[in-house]
Structure formats: C-alpha cells, structure tokens
Amino acid sequence: MVASRIDGVCVRGVVGCVPEGRETVDDLARRFGEDAARKVAAATGIEERRIVAPDQCTSDLAEAAARRLLDGLGWDPASLDLLVLVTQTHDQILPGTASLLHRRLGLRKGAAVLDITHGCSGFIYGLWTAAGLLKAAGRRALLLVGDTTSRLVDPDDRAVAPLFGDGAAAIALEQDEFAAPIAFDLGSDGAGAPYLAAEGGAMRHPGRPARLFMDGTQVFAFTLREVPGSVRAALDAAGWAMESVDHLVLHQANAQMIRHLGQKLGAPVGRTVVALREVGNTSSASIPLALAGALAPSLNTGSRRLLLSGFGVGWSWGSAALVVGPLALCETVVLPGRKCPAETAAPARPAS
C-alpha cells in the first residue's frame, strides 16, 4: 500500500451533476418482473438511477459541474493551473477528455491537464494526484470525476442493469498554508481485473461490444478483504480515532455493504453516509455526489472531519482522511437532455 500525507491544500467547493433522465424500479419491473426488481431494490437500496441521454457524454456532466463551481466560487478559469479528470468512459479514444474540457472551460494556454482511467476508487486517486501536483507547483486546481456507465450496461443483464447510474462532480482545490493535512492510503491488486471489466470496444477486442461484466461475489469478498485495512491506515496516518470522524463516506455501491463496513469499522451510529437511493452506483462520482447531496447542509455551514474510501475495478482501493468546510459552494445540479457539443473539427489535409 501507498501511504502519504499532503499538507497545504484545501477543498474550496464541490458540485455534483446528474442527468435528468431516470430509470426507476417500476421501469425495471417491466423488464425483469415485479418481484425481481423489488428484491434488487431492497437488497441494494437503489430505487432509481440517473441515465444520460443517447447524445450526452461524460464531458457534458463534468463541464456543467465545473461551470457551476467556478461561477459559484468566482474563479476565473484562467486562474487554474491544473485540471485532472478521472473517468472510465472517455468521450473518445484520443485526445484525452481533459484536453477537450480544457478548451471548453476556457483554461489558459499552458495549464496542465491529465486524464486518469479509474473507476470506483477514482475520486481518491484523483484527489491524491491533484493535491500532490498542486502542492508541488501551482495555486489552483480543478478535479473532475465522472462516468456514464449506463453506456456499458446490457439493459437485460440483471446483474448490473439495476445498479449503475451516471453522474459527475467537480472539486475545487487551492493551496492554503493553514490547511490541515490530507492523509491517504492507496493500493491495487491486478489479480482482480477479470471480475469487473468491459473488455470490448478497445484495441484488444475492437469488434466486441463494450459490455460491463461483474462477479458480485468476488467484488464483495474483495471489499471485505481490503477496505477495512485501508480505512484504518488512513485514520492512523491522520492520527485520528474513528470516534472523532464526523462522516464516513464509502463508495456508494450497495446500501447493505456500506452499513456492514461501517459496523465492521466501528463507525459511530448515524455517521456512515448512505446516499445512493436516487442515483445508484455512479462509479468514480459516488463519493463527491454524496458530499454534494447528503452532506451539503453540514459542509456549507461548518468544518467536518471526513473519512472517505473508494474501491472496485482493478482491483484498486483508496482511502483519505481530511477536514472539509465550511465550503463556499456544495450542491448538485441537473443537466437537461441536450446534444454533445461538437469538438474542434479535424484540420483540413493539405492538397497533395
């Protein structure tokens, strides 16, 4: 595992973004039957999910969140030194989606951009990367995380169709010499790669459809095996006791699993956040969407000790202990259905 502490970097604001499209338990019942749909909802705590329109991309959600955050903070996009984007569902193979957002958001020429391909642990990996780079050089950074996993899901696959929704979030980071350190613990185990995967559509299997496969039993076993130790390592690195944590925010994959982990970790009653009922498993965006939704009232008004942990595809996992708030802006916005904006056209080829 990788353990580290980064000081002098502060979270200034968090904005989540979800698409207006919804798929509810009633919609699933029409495909899978009433009993099956209700059983899945009862077991997972997911009653509806937000689904992008066919002409919407990850960048659209991320752009909407970023624009609202920058406007709310009064930050000029030209003041950003760094943009880090975490997603598994890029708009296109190349260039990276971060480059597309650099242009659309109006960042200054010379600002650094970086794409990270990670899933359910992606927010922690992105926070670690952005905070570390910002500490090394720069004043302000924008961390964007999000996925449109519904694009990878076979709508008739009962193992995944009722679980995954779409969403994104923008997190503003700024150097601050008075900021409390952020303690991290991160790790990975590539032996888990076959158990949560979408193998088609890329270079290895270009003719195979990109369809999400998940072995739920293996995912649950991995989670119980690795996550508690990672969370405790982040606590130790921060010098905190679990009793001093205001909110434990785990990757929002399954309500029963979240509550079980909270109990296993000894989190005080009422401090484990469960916030997936109306959005489902939103992959890399699940933790910041929980911050921008369930925790917005407390983070907008005061300072809170947060213990965060994301885990999943890879296998990969990451935990962070940090103090957040009061934030200048913490909220969720909804992206109406619209078309993906056309990117810059390819330059004309010179005449031969």
Side-chain angles (χ1 to χ4, degrees):
M1 292 187 181
V2 175
S4 66
R5 282 165 57 102
I6 299 173
D7 59 9
V9 175
C10 185
V11 176
R12 296 300 190 200
V14 180
V15 171
C17 181
V18 294
E20 68 175 342
R22 303 170 186 258
E23 188 169 72
T24 67
V25 175
D26 291 336
D27 296 319
L28 294 174
R30 286 188 280 273
R31 291 209 302 275
F32 303 135
E34 184 77 20
D35 288 346
R38 299 296 171 188
K39 284 179 181 178
V40 170
T44 63
I46 300 170
E47 296 185 9
E48 68 177 60
R49 293 159 297 112
R50 295 299 187 112
I51 306 296
V52 290
D55 50 13
Q56 288 178 328
C57 311
T58 298
S59 66
D60 299 318
L61 296 168
E63 180 184 0
R67 288 189 181 279
R68 174 63 188 125
L69 181 57
L70 293 174
D71 288 346
L73 294 177
W75 284 12
D76 184 340
S79 71
L80 294 173
D81 302 297
L82 172 68
L83 184 152
V84 175
L85 173 74
V86 182
T87 186
Q88 295 182 124
T89 52
H90 297 276
D91 285 25
Q92 55 197 49
I93 292 178
L94 57 89
T97 307
S99 294
L100 306 180
L101 286 165
H102 176 282
R103 174 178 175 271
R104 282 160 54 176
L105 291 171
L107 273 63
R108 64 177 175 83
K109 181 179 178 180
V113 300
L114 175 66
D115 286 82
I116 298 176
T117 303
H118 250 314
C120 304
S121 64
F123 172 64
I124 305 298
Y125 271 82
L127 183 62
W128 178 61
T129 302
L133 292 174
L134 189 60
K135 179 64 176 177
R139 185 167 70 97
R140 288 176 172 173
L142 190 63
L143 170 61
L144 304 178
V145 295
D147 284 292
T148 52
T149 310
S150 69
R151 295 288 186 84
L152 304 177
V153 170
D154 181 343
D156 295 321
D157 186 342
R158 299 188 183 201
V160 293
L163 307 180
F164 289 92
D166 303 325
I171 301 90
L173 303 173
E174 189 171 35
Q175 279 223 33
D176 182 344
E177 62 178 314
F178 301 108
I182 307 174
F184 290 96
D185 176 84
L186 303 103
S188 60
D189 177 5
Y195 302 114
L196 184 53
E199 296 181 344
M203 300 299 103
R204 181 67 65 183
H205 304 290
R208 184 186 301 176
R211 289 302 188 196
L212 183 66
F213 165 78
M214 182 176 71
D215 185 325
T217 300
Q218 291 289 344
V219 172
F220 191 75
F222 146 72
T223 301
L224 295 183
R225 182 172 65 248
E226 302 294 351
V227 174
S230 177
V231 171
R232 293 188 183 109
L235 272 177
D236 290 344
W240 294 358
M242 180 61 76
E243 293 76 16
S244 70
V245 172
D246 294 306
H247 302 291
L248 172 64
V249 189
L250 304 172
H251 167 51
Q252 303 289 298
N254 178 299
Q256 287 189 1
M257 183 171 67
I258 292 168
R259 294 189 178 101
H260 179 77
L261 283 170
Q263 293 173 354
K264 187 179 180 69
L265 288 163
V269 175
R271 298 188 192 178
T272 301
V273 175
V274 179
L276 74 169
R277 184 174 67 87
E278 296 179 347
V279 294
N281 181 341
T282 54
S283 189
S284 62
S286 80
I287 293 174
L289 281 177
L291 302 183
L295 294 187
S298 62
L299 295 178
N300 278 325
T301 57
S303 175
R304 299 291 185 270
R305 282 188 170 191
L306 303 183
L307 186 56
L308 316 176
S309 187
F311 41 87
V313 63
W315 305 126
S316 64
W317 58 91
S319 301
L322 69 163
V323 178
V324 176
L327 295 178
L329 183 64
C330 187
E331 66 179 32
T332 303
V333 298
V334 177
L335 179 67
R338 62 179 175 85
K339 292 186 178 297
C340 288
E343 303 299 346
T344 303
R349 294 180 181 275
S352 56

